Amino acid sequence: MPRLDAAPHIELMGESAVLHWGSEVIRIPRLKHGALFLMSGYIGSQLWGCEYKLSLDYLRGRIVNESIVYGLLEHSRQLGVDEEALGLDVGWTPVIINRGEEGAYFFNEKMRNWIGYADFTKPFIQEPSLVMVRSDVPILGLPDLIINVDGKPTYVIELKTTSNPRNIKVVRGRESLQAESYFHMLTYLGLSPRGVAVVKMIRGVDFRIIDNIDVIIKHMENAEGAITLTKHVVMHRIKVRSFNDFLKDVDYALEYWLGFRNPRPNPSRGLCSLCEHRRVCPYSVVR
């Protein structure tokens, strides 16, 4: 392990769970909130956002607003896929996609798009599933797009949509780390990506990622930093750190999930003003 020829899957066994990956059987340790696995994006949220908010999402539920739904629809248009997710009705929801029966179902359904089953001779692969295991904890990565060059998975593209033109000019730390995680997960699986980028765009713009693959490849090969692809669409090349530096972030995030420490609050006017828990959180600065 790891291996590409067999997709991993999770089996619930009473109050415990195991990960089957080929001939390997890994007993998943007890994680906070009954989680069965981590989404790779959580690592960025824990390090660059507010870990205490993440904890409250599990304890109180989370809110799905229209912006999240509109973003999902834009992903569908950009990538040419049908987006399906659990608990995405607008309003409060107790459904968390990585725990309980819903979590096992979600994880195993995503393995239908396991990266090992992908056809790398195609120009691109939409929403493949990646998995790495650290401290016996499965980590699931779902990059938006992988571009193939010469029959190999070469460039990772993460899509972020917004209604605010100012948001497309910068990449936040958690967005950068999420995109970087996909690069390192591909490396972990024995593949050899060459670069990763975050594409930020205004929803509804007259531009479609999968119709402009050649343009993206050209800029990935020849440019650095932020590149304007068209009006209201900016591609940000991400500087990838070493795999060991990435693992340090993974291990720090896992300390919380494994119960070795309490969630770390990160109160700030910017984060708290956007948080649905701001009126009940003891660390909120915008009550």
Side-chain angles (χ1 to χ4, degrees):
M1 206 186 68
R3 51 188 295 179
L4 285 176
D5 61 332
H9 70 276
I10 289 176
E11 179 185 7
L12 296 178
M13 303 179 67
E15 296 184 356
S16 62
V18 297
L19 179 77
H20 297 273
W21 198 344
S23 60
E24 295 279 342
V25 179
I26 301 170
R27 186 170 295 276
I28 301 171
R30 288 185 179 271
L31 303 176
K32 284 279 187 72
H33 312 296
L36 301 174
F37 61 93
L38 301 190
M39 301 293 292
S40 64
Y42 291 1
I43 299 167
S45 295
Q46 287 181 248
L47 270 72
W48 291 94
C50 180
E51 200 171 55
Y52 200 81
K53 177 194 182 303
L54 185 69
S55 176
L56 289 175
D57 284 345
Y58 281 85
L59 294 173
R60 301 185 67 243
R62 63 193 178 97
I63 194 168
V64 176
N65 56 35
E66 291 183 347
S67 178
I68 293 175
V69 175
Y70 292 153
L72 198 66
L73 293 174
E74 184 63 30
H75 271 71
S76 178
R77 183 176 77 90
Q78 287 294 326
L79 303 176
V81 296
D82 292 327
E83 295 284 4
E84 296 181 5
L86 293 169
L88 276 181
D89 293 327
V90 173
W92 284 91
T93 175
V95 175
I96 304 293
I97 61 172
N98 67 332
R99 67 179 176 190
E101 293 182 359
E102 293 95 345
Y105 172 82
F106 180 85
F107 184 96
N108 293 334
E109 279 294 300
K110 289 302 178 183
M111 291 308 108
R112 293 176 181 268
N113 293 329
W114 173 239
I115 187 68
Y117 300 155
D119 183 355
F120 297 130
T121 65
K122 294 182 177 180
F124 53 83
I125 306 163
Q126 304 109 307
E127 299 184 340
S129 298
L130 314 175
V131 173
M132 68 177 292
V133 177
R134 185 72 171 172
S135 299
D136 291 339
V137 178
I139 301 173
L140 174 63
L142 302 173
D144 288 321
L145 194 71
I146 292 180
I147 297 175
N148 301 315
V149 177
D150 297 328
K152 299 177 182 179
T154 304
Y155 298 119
V156 183
I157 305 297
E158 180 64 8
L159 172 64
K160 299 295 182 184
T161 71
T162 181
S163 59
N164 188 342
R166 290 180 297 179
N167 290 340
I168 70 173
K169 298 178 181 180
V170 296
V171 174
R172 295 176 175 84
R174 63 179 180 271
E175 296 171 334
S176 176
L177 183 50
Q178 179 185 2
E180 184 191 29
S181 73
Y182 302 140
F183 182 97
H184 288 304
M185 292 176 80
L186 285 167
T187 302
Y188 170 88
L189 291 169
L191 301 169
S192 301
R194 289 189 352 219
V196 59
V198 175
V199 173
K200 307 196 78 171
M201 66 172 61
I202 301 298
R203 298 183 195 114
V205 69
D206 186 19
F207 178 92
R208 197 162 179 243
I209 285 182
I210 59 175
D211 294 334
N212 290 274
I213 296 298
D214 290 344
V215 173
I216 293 173
I217 291 175
K218 181 185 72 173
H219 288 303
M220 289 296 290
E221 291 178 344
N222 301 316
E224 295 182 357
I227 305 101
T228 299
L229 299 180
T230 188
K231 186 178 181 181
H232 299 318
V233 181
V234 179
M235 184 173 77
H236 301 263
R237 285 289 303 269
I238 302 301
K239 185 177 181 180
V240 178
R241 301 168 301 157
S242 72
F243 185 62
N244 285 335
D245 284 341
F246 168 68
L247 288 181
K248 291 178 183 177
D249 288 344
V250 174
D251 290 341
Y252 177 78
L254 285 175
E255 287 177 1
Y256 165 70
W257 292 100
L258 290 168
F260 298 149
R261 61 176 177 82
N262 292 323
R264 174 185 56 88
N266 186 20
S268 70
R269 187 159 296 277
L271 288 176
C272 291
S273 63
L274 297 174
C275 180
E276 57 266 30
H277 308 297
R278 60 186 177 274
R279 299 190 187 281
V280 299
C281 177
Y283 301 99
S284 175
V285 297
V286 295
R287 285 189 243 201

